Amino acid sequence: MASIASSEGDRTLDPAMQVGGAGVDVASSTPLQHRFSPYSWNGGTVLAVAGKDYCVVATDKRLAEGYSILSRKIDRALQLTDKTVIACGGSHNDVEALYNHLKLRAVMYKYNHEEDLSTIGAAQLLSNTLYYKRFFPYYALAVIAGLDDDGVGYVAGYDAVGSYLRSRDGYTANGSAAAIAMPILDNALGKVGVSSGLDEKPEYSIADTIEMLKDIFVTVGERDILCGDAVDIYAITATGTEHEVFELKAD
Amino acid sequence: MFATRTEYDRGVNTFSPDGRLFQIEYSLQAVNMGSTSLGVCTKEGVVLAVEKKLTSPLVEADSVEKIMEIDQHMGAAMSGLVADARTLVEKARMEAQNHLFTYNHPIRVQSTAQAISDVAIGFGKGDDVPSRPFGVALLLAGCDERGPQLFYTDPSGSFSKWEAKAIGSGAQGATNALQEEYNSGMSLDDGLELCLKILKQVMEEKIETKNVEVAVVTKEEGFKVIDEEQLSELIARVLVSSTNI
């Protein structure tokens, strides 16, 4: 385009610039196309496991685009309240815009109602917020993790337009490596697809759950190029939320 | 100029030199002239009771409604201009449904009282509110995670939380009676009986099922208007116990 635009003479010869112009042979001209690419796919894998009185959510810190790594230490998780953490894969610009909005809503909720927004409240609010942008969605593949009103672990996964479901089995995965991680979680924690014929869901301690999630991230990091570098792990209990960073291979 | 009160009670936005807004004070007077409403909060639930002043024996008593449901867990009794209360109740209902839609959780009673007060002091500022203060006060009863609660909202835009409260023309006598006889440990049944007993005392007409309206809000069943059968039973009980004294 630079050479075409370099002189007036060239510009008048460029068929693309003359669409709709007087005396132009429309049939042989190429239409001028404008493109708008507001989205990136920056990867991001989120895993969450709920227990009887705790919840753990883990998400990687790699910001990727194509074959490039843009950062090895971004934060994908938002600690919304003492009892609720949200983490998203997707387009990181949208994820940050979404978080800024949710933070504002949580602060205003506390001013207006004199208590923290509950996990169930945050879950519905997130759904509505995503759905209100149904026709220009936030590219955010969210997981919400926390404790419900009874202090029981709560995890729910979302699509980009706000459809969400609280996991009955108490675990979920979303984002880049969700399809790789989910069968691993199914096998470890689920009741379906397990040949040993478990009919009771195993209950792991919070420490074992954290170790399991670390292992899963090590595993999926070998298969998904968008996943790696390090993992943010949030362990939510009634006494508060503990955060740790677990290093992965930076390759 | 403006030497007398009459010069300062015209506009709703004009303070008098001693810092009063007469139109708001007059609206409080409209509440004092309204029929008596009572609210009693117990550990098991909240009782609302109002006197229905029937203007004619030909009025269908059922068509006079002075206690309204706001959500499944909340209701309001009113004293003053009943027509004004509809605007406030409508707003409270919208606020409650909007909260449920947004947060998948019933709205707090206190948040609803705040919402009602916001409308009450927002007179003159929109198409769906009057240009004057609202001439009505509400007793807002509800149950949430903080337990059974009773709030009072008035035309000045303030609200407060009460264990027991009386408003309307019989408020003075009823308040004295409540102070005498209310205790925070009383049962819901005792609360019901106390409300009817006090209404009986302050009403000019003889108490009967047609000229009172009673509702309760409990954690288990939410907002429930007491039906006629139960009401006549209650009234009979109150009449008997008062003749015994």
Side-chain angles (χ1 to χ4, degrees):
Chain A
M1 282 301 279
S3 64
I4 294 167
S6 61
S7 74
E8 277 299 310
D10 283 342
R11 182 174 295 174
T12 55
L13 291 172
D14 177 11
M17 303 299 280
Q18 293 192 3
V19 173
V24 175
D25 180 1
V26 174
S28 66
S29 65
T30 328
L32 177 64
Q33 294 190 6
H34 297 281
R35 285 179 184 277
F36 174 48
S37 305
Y39 295 122
S40 296
W41 168 227
N42 300 123
T45 301
V46 189
L47 307 179
V49 175
K52 277 199 177 70
D53 56 359
Y54 67 85
C55 202
V56 184
V57 57
T59 183
D60 65 320
K61 294 178 79 68
R62 173 174 292 181
L63 184 76
E65 191 168 23
Y67 291 114
S68 305
I69 293 171
L70 305 179
S71 172
R72 298 185 195 275
K73 49 184 180 186
I74 53 126
D75 299 326
R76 273 210 172 79
L78 168 69
Q79 167 101 242
L80 193 64
T81 66
D82 290 348
K83 286 196 286 187
T84 312
V85 172
I86 295 170
C88 300
S91 193
H92 198 62
N93 54 342
D94 277 6
V95 171
E96 296 221 302
L98 175 65
Y99 286 174
N100 286 333
H101 180 81
L102 292 175
K103 271 190 273 187
L104 179 154
R105 293 293 300 260
V107 168
M108 288 311 292
Y109 187 96
K110 195 165 183 180
Y111 281 134
N112 289 329
H113 302 281
E114 295 176 0
E115 66 184 358
D116 273 336
L117 179 59
S118 67
T119 303
I120 287 167
Q124 185 66 51
L125 176 65
L126 176 56
S127 174
N128 290 4
T129 304
L130 292 168
Y131 196 77
Y132 276 123
K133 278 179 62 60
R134 174 66 175 76
F135 296 108
F136 184 13
Y138 288 114
Y139 188 1
L141 304 169
V143 165
I144 190 162
L147 301 178
D148 69 11
D149 295 343
D150 302 319
V152 178
Y154 180 110
V155 298
Y158 291 72
D159 71 7
V161 288
S163 174
Y164 77 111
L165 193 68
R166 178 179 188 174
S167 167
R168 280 175 296 175
D169 296 328
Y171 59 91
T172 196
N174 209 350
S176 178
I180 308 173
M182 200 59 180
I184 308 176
L185 287 167
D186 282 332
N187 191 255
L189 298 165
K191 285 187 280 189
V192 291
V194 181
S195 60
S196 58
L198 288 175
D199 42 35
E200 280 293 315
K201 191 187 134 208
E203 180 72 25
Y204 289 98
S205 72
I206 192 163
D208 287 348
T209 304
I210 292 168
E211 286 311 303
M212 182 194 301
L213 289 175
K214 287 176 181 174
D215 276 357
I216 296 173
F217 265 101
V218 168
T219 306
V220 300
E222 296 291 333
R223 290 288 181 185
D224 179 8
I225 59 164
L226 300 178
C227 180
D229 298 326
V231 186
D232 275 319
I233 301 171
Y234 290 82
I236 307 157
T237 59
T239 53
T241 303
E242 283 185 32
H243 171 236
E244 68 170 292
V245 177
F246 174 65
E247 297 294 329
L248 292 175
K249 286 195 331 195
D251 61 354
Chain B
M1 60 175 191
F2 292 159
T4 63
R5 162 197 183 100
T6 53
E7 303 295 337
Y8 285 101
D9 65 0
R10 312 275 180 217
V12 287
N13 297 312
T14 309
F15 279 104
S16 77
D18 46 347
R20 298 160 68 178
L21 287 169
F22 286 117
Q23 286 298 324
I24 286 182
E25 291 184 17
Y26 298 159
S27 69
L28 292 165
Q29 192 53 41
V31 174
N32 290 334
M33 287 166 59
S35 57
T36 311
S37 294
L38 299 175
V40 164
C41 191
T42 73
K43 285 194 171 59
E44 297 165 21
V46 197
V47 184
L48 292 175
V50 299
E51 175 192 3
K52 289 205 280 194
K53 275 196 183 126
L54 299 174
T55 48
S56 156
L58 297 176
V59 171
E60 295 262 16
D62 285 353
S63 69
V64 180
E65 197 187 8
K66 294 191 176 181
I67 299 180
M68 294 174 90
E69 179 172 333
I70 285 170
D71 198 350
Q72 285 176 20
H73 64 301
M74 206 166 11
M78 58 198 68
S79 285
L81 302 179
V82 175
D84 278 10
R86 287 195 47 80
T87 309
L88 299 177
V89 168
E90 178 76 10
K91 168 69 181 179
R93 286 174 172 170
M94 278 306 291
E95 203 71 22
Q97 289 315 119
N98 191 43
H99 191 97
L100 190 63
F101 175 83
T102 309
Y103 304 109
N104 189 25
H105 192 278
I107 192 170
R108 292 244 179 268
V109 186
Q110 182 177 312
S111 303
T112 313
Q114 180 66 258
I116 290 169
S117 294
D118 288 348
V119 183
I121 200 58
F123 62 85
K125 283 199 274 198
D127 295 338
D128 43 9
V129 287
S131 55
R132 50 166 176 76
F134 285 80
V136 71
L138 300 182
L139 291 176
L140 183 69
C143 283
D144 60 30
E145 277 86 346
R146 296 173 189 167
Q149 292 151 76
L150 177 69
F151 283 89
Y152 161 69
T153 75
D154 73 18
S156 73
S158 60
F159 69 91
S160 41
K161 190 163 174 271
W162 294 76
E163 289 181 308
K165 175 77 174 159
I167 55 175
S169 55
Q172 210 164 38
T175 302
N176 288 336
L178 283 171
Q179 279 172 358
E180 286 286 314
E181 304 203 31
Y182 174 82
N183 74 77
S184 54
M186 71 199 312
S187 69
L188 187 68
D189 254 4
D190 291 347
L192 270 167
E193 217 165 296
L194 177 60
C195 279
L196 283 162
K197 190 177 140 193
I198 295 174
L199 267 190
K200 183 178 93 57
Q201 286 170 13
V202 299
M203 280 168 63
E204 288 168 16
E205 310 280 316
K206 183 178 178 296
I207 190 168
E208 50 183 319
T209 55
K210 278 178 122 182
N211 59 13
V212 288
E213 197 177 345
V214 182
V216 293
V217 188
T218 56
K219 183 172 175 280
E220 294 76 24
E221 294 195 68
F223 176 83
K224 284 272 182 302
V225 175
I226 301 293
D227 63 32
E228 197 174 335
E229 192 184 336
Q230 219 183 327
L231 191 55
S232 65
E233 207 176 290
L234 266 166
I235 291 171
R237 227 161 73 195
V238 169
L239 289 174
V240 167
S241 65
S242 61
T243 49
N244 286 348
I245 298 165

